[in-house]
Amino acid sequence: MSFDATRYPHADLTEKIIGAAMAVHRALGPGLDEKIYENALGIELTAQSLSFTQQQQFPVFYREQSVGKLITDLIVGDRVIIETKVATAICDIHIAQTLSYLSISGLQVGLILNFKTASLTFKRVANIYLKNQ
């Protein structure tokens, strides 16, 4: 599928990630703990030869002082942050959280994957103000 790279950066990679998440959801079903899906998705990404990091840490600063660390669920191909959720629905707070993660990490694209529903639901989030990385 062909997408406008300025509106949909890393579309080819996000399609592969969504496919991997669907495979996990089909195998495990809905409603388990988020960490179970995160770990299973890591196994599926490896099976599909997609590189990723799990629980990567980023320092968070306020007024040039360290105030803590952001820990992401998964980052695929050093380009896409994955947030696994088990929620009734993907809501605005999940989107806002993912945008904050993108800002702190300097990455441009995130995927929110919700495993609670009968069918996997997902939301692609992009910080279009960052240059394509």
Side-chain angles (χ1 to χ4, degrees):
M1 200 176 278
S2 177
F3 290 100
D4 175 3
T6 57
R7 291 188 60 211
Y8 300 100
H10 311 311
D12 56 337
L13 181 56
T14 57
E15 283 183 32
K16 291 175 185 174
I17 296 165
I18 292 166
M22 287 179 174
V24 168
H25 191 275
R26 273 192 306 274
L28 297 179
L32 302 173
D33 185 71
E34 287 178 13
K35 192 67 172 173
I36 291 170
Y37 295 111
E38 178 186 327
N39 292 335
L41 186 55
I43 292 168
E44 184 62 29
L45 292 170
T46 298
Q48 294 189 22
S49 300
L50 294 171
S51 65
F52 69 94
T53 57
Q54 190 170 4
Q55 300 291 303
Q56 186 169 336
Q57 296 183 19
F58 294 89
V60 180
F61 296 94
Y62 176 75
R63 293 184 179 243
E64 300 179 7
Q65 295 183 40
S66 177
V67 293
K69 293 179 183 168
L70 160 69
I71 301 173
T72 60
D73 290 347
L74 299 163
I75 297 179
V76 180
D78 294 323
R79 296 184 289 163
V80 179
I81 289 180
I82 306 299
E83 274 302 300
T84 56
K85 300 291 181 195
V86 178
T88 303
I90 296 172
C91 58
D92 290 345
I93 193 67
H94 298 134
I95 296 166
Q97 177 187 37
T98 303
L99 284 169
S100 292
Y101 287 9
L102 293 174
S103 178
I104 290 166
S105 68
L107 297 175
Q108 189 178 23
V109 177
L111 275 177
I112 305 166
L113 303 171
N114 186 16
F115 290 90
K116 184 168 186 170
T117 53
S119 293
L120 177 79
T121 57
F122 57 90
K123 177 76 177 168
R124 190 175 184 287
V125 180
N127 184 345
I128 60 171
Y129 300 106
L130 288 175
K131 290 189 178 180
N132 206 6
Q133 296 181 18

